[in-house]
Amino acid sequence: MPSKYYVVWKGRKPGVYASWDEARAQVDGFAGARYKSFPNRSDAEKSFAAGYEEYVVAQPDTHKKHGVDLNRAPVSLEDLPAKVRNSYAVDSAWNSVSKVMEYRCVKIDLMTELFHQGPFDDSTNNVGEFLAVVHALALFKNQGISSAIYTDSLNAISWVAQGKCKSKLARTEKNGHVFDLIERAEVWLRDNEYSNAVLKWNTEAWGENPADFGRK
């Protein structure tokens, strides 16, 4: 039995899906997509039948139901501020059991992936966010892109501003490449200036980070 069910109110083929891969195929790159995960099929089907607007109106602003944070309900691209739509988002995925990490960058208005790195062994989520931001900064400087970069990680924002990854991650036989990437990122920050703003993604106002891997 699936651990989550996914409602697609607006997408290529609206409906209730039993896997994220099926649901994602309906919403990735679809302008104005509206979708949400639910803990069981019954809730998903009721919410789909009610419609997106009815679902949103029925939810208290700061309430949590069935362990799902309703403030994370996705927001249509058209509802995002123009300056946000015209920017980029980075995010990291990290498995707390395997300790495997990967990260990527997405162009928000097109919902297209700009780069995707990993998986990397024995790492952390914040390290991934830090590397993603610096990767984007270096790429954007090379390509003359001045857009803002949004991340979920306040730690990553702070570390980038300080030019130093302050993770307590220990070096192991498996994560040497990650430490090489961290060193290269710190050297790049030391030797380069950049004009891009590095900002915190406002999940409560805008829904899930567009670069999210959808594995929550």
Side-chain angles (χ1 to χ4, degrees):
M1 179 180 296
S3 59
K4 287 185 179 181
Y5 290 84
Y6 300 86
V7 170
V8 177
W9 286 285
K10 184 177 180 182
R12 293 179 181 86
K13 186 177 180 181
V16 176
Y17 295 88
S19 77
W20 170 237
D21 285 343
E22 290 179 295
R24 180 166 55 186
Q26 314 309 319
V27 300
D28 269 5
F30 189 96
R34 295 183 185 276
Y35 55 99
K36 186 77 176 68
S37 65
F38 291 85
N40 58 68
R41 179 178 287 278
S42 176
D43 283 356
E45 291 179 344
K46 289 178 182 177
S47 297
F48 176 68
Y52 179 78
E53 288 74 16
E54 186 70 23
Y55 165 76
V56 171
V57 169
Q59 309 307 324
D61 290 342
T62 59
H63 182 56
K64 290 187 177 182
K65 182 179 182 182
H66 301 305
V68 178
D69 189 347
L70 301 174
N71 284 326
R72 298 173 75 84
V75 171
S76 169
L77 284 175
E78 292 101 328
D79 294 335
L80 292 173
K83 66 178 182 180
V84 177
R85 287 199 307 272
N86 295 326
S87 300
Y88 294 78
V90 299
D91 201 12
S92 172
W94 178 71
N95 188 303
S96 61
V97 177
S98 67
K99 311 299 181 185
V100 170
M101 175 273 290
E102 56 191 305
Y103 65 80
R104 68 175 181 166
C105 176
V106 167
K107 181 73 169 71
I108 296 173
D109 58 353
L110 300 177
M111 285 300 291
T112 53
E113 191 175 78
L114 193 64
F115 60 76
H116 182 177
Q117 298 293 305
F120 303 106
D121 292 328
D122 280 0
S123 191
T124 71
N125 190 63
N126 279 317
V127 166
E129 297 267 6
F130 170 79
L131 292 174
V133 172
V134 181
H135 188 146
L137 288 172
L139 180 63
F140 290 179
K141 182 168 186 177
N142 184 55
Q143 297 184 353
I145 299 172
S146 59
S147 303
I149 301 166
Y150 286 91
T151 171
D152 289 329
S153 173
L154 288 173
N155 281 333
I157 294 172
S158 175
W159 295 350
V160 168
Q162 297 175 67
K164 186 74 174 178
C165 178
K166 295 193 173 183
S167 171
K168 295 181 180 179
L169 179 67
R171 188 162 193 150
T172 68
E173 293 182 357
K174 293 183 177 181
N175 65 14
H177 184 50
V178 172
F179 276 83
D180 290 342
L181 291 175
I182 291 173
E183 182 178 355
R184 285 170 54 188
E186 291 176 342
V187 169
W188 189 90
L189 289 171
R190 182 192 67 202
D191 295 343
N192 290 271
E193 295 182 352
Y194 56 88
S195 59
N196 309 83
V198 180
L199 306 171
K200 177 70 170 62
W201 180 260
N202 188 341
T203 304
E204 291 189 0
W206 304 332
E208 192 62 79
N209 181 332
D212 181 75
F213 283 79
R215 299 173 187 168
K216 294 179 176 64

